[in-house]
Amino acid sequence: ILNVEQSPQSLHVQEGDSTNFTCSFPSSNFYALHWYRWETAKSPEALFVMTLNGDEKKKGRISATLNTKEGYSYLYIKGSQPEDSATYLCAFNRPSNTGKLIFGQGTTLQVKP
Amino acid sequence: NAGVTQTPKFRVLKTGQSMTLLCAQDMNHEYMYWYRQDPGMGLRLIHYSVGEGTTAKGEVPDGYNVSRLKKQNFLLGLESAAPSQTSVYFCASSYPGTGLPYEQYFGPGTRLTVT
């Protein structure tokens, strides 16, 4: 059984703070690492998909890095805004013809105005 | 382009009743998935399908059955509902072609309560 671990479980920050979360995953037989953003009462939406060691992706104030050799990824949010409040999921998949993802439990971010 | 849709959005069942959840996608995706989401448990894969006419078990398949008779539809059935199946159910689809590897697109979810 693959384990994808995310930390912290939850986070409360003030508007304007920068923050980061961690996702750890098995480093063997790696194919891709995904980050999803999941707002309350909505469905998860993909933020980033990363495949190469050293990958860095950026979308506005949100960025992510990937270390496949040691099995971790960081998600950074610069200058958090209330609209960033959501649960951030990471998911891992190995090479396969099924596309199955193993999800972590998520980090729930609350940004206070 | 509606993406991934799910019906119904909400349902209350009594123990022992049966029901079918419908997932439909209009993106011509090959792969489809059913997840359940429970507090503190994250998303857990129930069943999945890699193409029309094929299905396979995921992490938590017991008590559920699925069918993929048409490429665009993926049905999840509960033959005899139990309170432990109270959950939010999400359908997702993805396409193993060019572009992002296996990015999944999610439906809006179905909230099921079994009393």
Side-chain angles (χ1 to χ4, degrees), chain A residues 5-14 19-23 35-41 47 75 77 80-90 104-112, chain B residues 37-43:
Chain A
E5 303 286 342
Q6 291 188 246
S7 63
Q9 193 171 5
S10 64
L11 198 54
H12 291 76
V13 302
Q14 289 294 134
T19 187
N20 63 85
F21 326 132
T22 303
C23 172
W35 282 100
Y36 286 81
R37 171 191 165 88
W38 192 359
E39 292 182 68
T40 302
L47 278 173
L75 187 78
I77 302 179
S80 302
Q81 299 298 307
E83 57 265 31
D84 295 328
S85 297
T87 295
Y88 293 84
L89 297 172
C90 75
Q105 294 185 0
T107 293
T108 299
L109 173 67
Q110 187 70 37
V111 182
K112 299 177 183 178
Chain B
Q37 188 257 328
D38 303 293
M41 302 293 286
L43 287 168

Side-chain angles (χ1 to χ4, degrees), chain A residues 1-102:
Chain A
I1 297 176
L2 304 177
N3 263 346
V4 178
E5 303 286 342
Q6 291 188 246
S7 63
Q9 193 171 5
S10 64
L11 198 54
H12 291 76
V13 302
Q14 289 294 134
E15 182 176 353
D17 288 349
S18 293
T19 187
N20 63 85
F21 326 132
T22 303
C23 172
S24 62
F25 54 88
S27 57
S28 62
N29 203 17
F30 173 86
Y31 179 65
L33 191 284
H34 303 234
W35 282 100
Y36 286 81
R37 171 191 165 88
W38 192 359
E39 292 182 68
T40 302
K42 295 187 178 180
S43 49
E45 290 186 352
L47 278 173
F48 306 115
V49 182
M50 296 181 286
T51 57
L52 299 176
N53 185 46
D55 255 356
E56 292 188 25
K57 300 273 186 175
K58 187 174 181 181
K59 186 179 289 188
R61 293 178 292 97
I62 304 177
S63 60
T65 60
L66 179 66
N67 183 323
T68 61
K69 293 184 178 180
E70 296 182 41
Y72 65 84
S73 175
Y74 294 136
L75 187 78
Y76 301 92
I77 302 179
K78 184 178 178 181
S80 302
Q81 299 298 307
E83 57 265 31
D84 295 328
S85 297
T87 295
Y88 293 84
L89 297 172
C90 75
F92 161 85
N93 66 304
R94 287 187 164 153
S96 76
N97 59 354
T98 66
K100 287 193 298 180
L101 294 178
I102 304 297

Side-chain angles (χ1 to χ4, degrees), chain B residues 17 24 85 94 102 113:
Chain B
Q17 287 185 320
Q85 294 178 304
S94 71
Y102 305 119
T113 301

